[in-house]
Amino acid sequence: MCGPDLDVLDPLVRLVDHSLVTVTDGPRYHLPESVGAYALERLAESGETEAAETRHAAYYAGLAGQADLRGPEQPQQLALLDQEVPNLRAALHRAVRRAGGTGATRLALALTWYWLLRGRFTEARRSLQETLAPAGDVPAELRDTAAVWHAGFTLLTGGDAPAATPESDDALATWFLGYALFTSGKDLGRSEDVMARAMTCFQATGDRWGIAATRSVQTRQAFMRGDLRAAREYAESAHASFEELDDRWGRLQTTYPLAALAETSGDYERAARLHRDGHQLAEELGFWTEAADRLTGLGRIALLNGDFRRAEELHGQAMRLAAAEHGYAAGEVHAEIGLALGARREGDLDEAGVRLRRLLAWHRARDFGPGPALLLAELGFVAELHGDARTALELHREGLDVARSGGDPRARALALEGLAGAYALAGEPARAARLLGTAARLRESTGAPMPPAERGDVNRITARIRAALDGEDFATEFATDALDGDGERDAETGKLTENHSSETGGVHEQA
């Protein structure tokens, strides 16, 4: 930064000896504030401020650009950039202030992966916006890449990406936009399209890391669609690649869906172990958004194990970490879903309802396909537990529509179970039994029947039906698919009509 022909060691030693420069661990050298202000005045007097700032920006742009944040050197390179954050911010600020469009844009792009790993989404969004604001002479390709990264960080901080976000030839930027579209819960279909485009780019260049990173997101997309076989295949493939590449961030991306798959099969011990290992690794590396997600995962397992107090603590920690410290909107929502589920299972239906309605509004503001299905089912169960069969039927019917459009058979099964509960409450136990049996067969078809710890609602509904039907009638109805008059077709096209018969709870459905 001082120039190639200057000998700075001897003057630096003398400054330290005279306490004009202080030394800290590293070693790192610092000017006391008063000395720094004086030095800046003298620099300005000499007319060398711009040249010094240019060299400073060039040095730190090179440092950021050369940092290898993917692979075995990731922890050491992150630690190096952590030490240089004040200098990196100063260099970027000065480049933007001087309207140095190309230089500022290149420096901001060099920092994007660091910002992502450190969870500094708000800083990234603001910095990229500042570099894009001037109408400087920035090459179109460079500007488009910066705009894609800015759109992604905008999504991750809870904003809306511009409708006219340009496409970029940069494979990593394309991947990041697909990742942000999925992670933010904004647009599942578009995230799948963008991720497919990124995969094509990575495969064309033989980029193993990029292929694994894309598979890690496609794992979650497949899980959302209910394709557990594809999700497992993608997760295991990506995890093996990241293990070979020794990329710790990558391993975090794949252990989470592997834990979700273990949970789906009822192996809560393995799921908890994967989440604990992931949380420890995320904390060691300072990946705080990842740490928040792992706390949410652990809270979910505690909830399934019936430890409601621990579940509330973990979900609360995750929510605070995601929201207050890093502006991770999607992480805050995931954690609050856990708090809502816990409130209902503890019997606090009012709190559960408030949280679920707020979360449903958040999801409805996005085009995320299957996102609202769980929330509609939970609200339907709240209505059923309040004794409101009519509202429960409406909510579960809407949930079934969402589940069918999303293509996840497990989500369809959940909606059918909810409808069974509503019909049982309304005094139609035979129809309820058919719906319950159809839901069970749907779950079995995915290779993931409902684990015992998740059968609370089904057991309650089954008990109500059995109280109204004898054993043989229940078995017959349960074995009959709920179609053509009882099941999904009715749930889509039937209309509620008022009926004052006390025998049916005041609710009938007519096709």
Side-chain angles (χ1 to χ4, degrees):
M1 189 186 80
C2 295
D5 301 323
L6 294 178
D7 178 14
V8 298
L9 183 58
D10 287 341
L12 181 61
V13 171
R14 288 197 297 274
L15 289 169
V16 172
D17 289 342
H18 289 83
S19 300
L20 295 174
V21 170
T22 58
V23 185
T24 58
D25 291 341
R28 307 281 299 174
Y29 297 90
H30 299 273
L31 287 172
E33 188 174 346
S34 58
V35 177
Y38 173 74
L40 286 173
E41 290 175 2
R42 294 298 302 274
L43 189 65
E45 290 171 5
S46 70
E48 297 181 12
T49 297
E50 184 174 349
E53 288 183 350
T54 299
R55 290 196 299 271
H56 181 271
Y59 174 83
Y60 282 102
L63 182 72
Q66 293 168 14
D68 184 6
L69 298 179
R70 292 181 284 172
E73 296 300 314
Q74 190 177 77
Q76 295 86 342
Q77 296 292 302
L78 281 168
L80 173 63
L81 292 183
D82 286 342
Q83 286 186 324
E84 298 294 352
V85 163
N87 280 309
L88 291 163
R89 286 174 176 161
L92 183 56
H93 173 72
R94 289 166 182 159
V96 171
R97 188 190 64 201
R98 293 196 309 272
T102 299
T105 303
R106 290 191 186 281
L107 178 53
L109 287 174
L111 289 169
T112 50
W113 197 251
Y114 172 75
W115 284 327
L116 175 65
L117 294 183
R118 283 293 181 243
R120 294 174 181 169
F121 301 161
T122 301
E123 178 181 355
R125 176 183 181 176
R126 182 181 62 251
S127 298
L128 286 161
Q129 178 62 46
E130 290 172 352
T131 64
L132 289 165
D137 186 19
V138 180
E141 181 179 345
L142 199 65
R143 189 173 184 84
D144 287 349
T145 300
V148 170
W149 279 95
H150 176 255
F153 281 116
T154 299
L155 288 166
L156 291 177
T157 51
D160 293 321
T165 301
E167 290 189 6
S168 172
D169 293 332
D170 186 287
L172 185 59
T174 302
W175 174 91
F176 175 64
L177 180 59
Y179 167 87
L181 283 164
F182 178 79
T183 304
S184 66
K186 185 63 179 178
D187 191 331
L188 176 58
R190 188 180 172 205
S191 78
E192 291 170 326
D193 293 341
V194 173
M195 204 54 71
R197 195 164 70 245
M199 178 63 88
T200 299
C201 295
F202 286 131
Q203 288 175 333
T205 58
D207 186 335
R208 291 182 63 214
W209 183 95
I211 292 169
T214 305
R215 279 288 184 238
S216 73
V217 179
Q218 290 176 329
T219 296
R220 300 189 188 198
Q221 291 168 337
F223 193 88
M224 250 341 231
R225 296 292 192 192
D227 190 345
L228 301 186
R229 181 176 299 176
R232 188 176 301 280
E233 177 186 337
Y234 294 162
E236 291 176 349
S237 170
H239 190 73
S241 294
F242 282 131
E243 287 278 2
E244 292 173 10
L245 295 167
D246 195 13
D247 188 292
R248 292 162 175 79
W249 173 86
R251 293 209 302 270
L252 283 172
Q253 303 312 296
T254 52
T255 54
Y256 193 93
L258 287 170
L261 288 163
E263 175 194 319
T264 300
S265 67
D267 191 349
Y268 302 147
E269 183 177 346
R270 181 168 187 261
R273 183 175 68 253
L274 287 167
H275 283 313
R276 281 195 300 270
D277 292 346
H279 182 255
Q280 181 179 350
L281 181 57
E283 283 200 322
E284 289 173 358
L285 295 171
F287 295 170
W288 300 114
T289 56
E290 298 293 339
D293 283 341
R294 296 322 180 278
L295 287 171
T296 295
L298 287 168
R300 167 73 176 165
I301 300 303
L303 186 62
L304 290 170
N305 284 325
D307 190 346
F308 299 131
R309 178 171 296 181
R310 182 60 177 158
E312 183 177 6
E313 290 174 357
L314 288 164
H315 285 127
Q317 290 174 26
M319 195 169 176
R320 290 189 294 274
L321 185 59
E325 299 185 27
H326 296 280
Y328 178 28
E332 183 180 1
V333 167
H334 299 157
E336 187 170 12
I337 289 174
L339 290 171
L341 298 183
R344 183 173 78 81
R345 282 149 184 77
E346 286 196 274
D348 192 342
L349 302 183
D350 291 338
E351 180 184 349
V354 168
R355 289 189 182 276
L356 290 166
R357 284 188 290 272
R358 179 167 59 238
L359 290 162
L360 182 60
W362 186 90
H363 276 80
R364 280 176 166 160
R366 288 151 174 78
D367 184 15
F368 203 60
L374 171 64
L375 303 173
L376 288 163
E378 286 292 317
L379 282 167
F381 286 129
V382 168
E384 178 215 328
L385 290 166
H386 272 307
D388 185 350
R390 181 186 185 88
T391 299
L393 284 167
E394 291 173 345
L395 288 163
H396 287 305
R397 186 174 294 111
E398 184 181 356
L400 182 58
D401 287 341
V402 172
R404 285 173 65 82
S405 66
D408 182 356
R410 294 179 306 126
R412 286 171 59 201
L414 180 61
L416 292 175
E417 288 155 0
L419 282 168
Y423 279 120
L425 177 64
E428 298 192 41
R431 173 176 283 189
R434 289 192 289 274
L435 287 162
L436 210 56
T438 303
R441 288 183 286 280
L442 262 177
R443 288 189 181 277
E444 289 168 1
S445 72
T446 68
M450 182 178 285
E454 299 182 45
R455 294 187 59 84
D457 291 313
V458 169
N459 290 343
R460 182 188 71 252
I461 295 164
T462 301
R464 173 172 277 156
I465 298 170
R466 284 185 174 278
L469 298 176
D470 63 33
E472 185 176 345
D473 287 343
F474 176 82
T476 299
E477 300 294 352
F478 189 87
T480 303
D481 283 336
L483 299 172
D484 299 327
D486 302 302
E488 295 181 80
R489 186 171 304 176
D490 267 5
E492 291 173 325
T493 64
K495 295 181 180 179
L496 288 172
T497 61
E498 294 296 337
N499 186 299
H500 298 291
S501 168
S502 62
E503 294 178 357
T504 61
V507 178
H508 275 286
E509 184 175 6
Q510 293 181 344

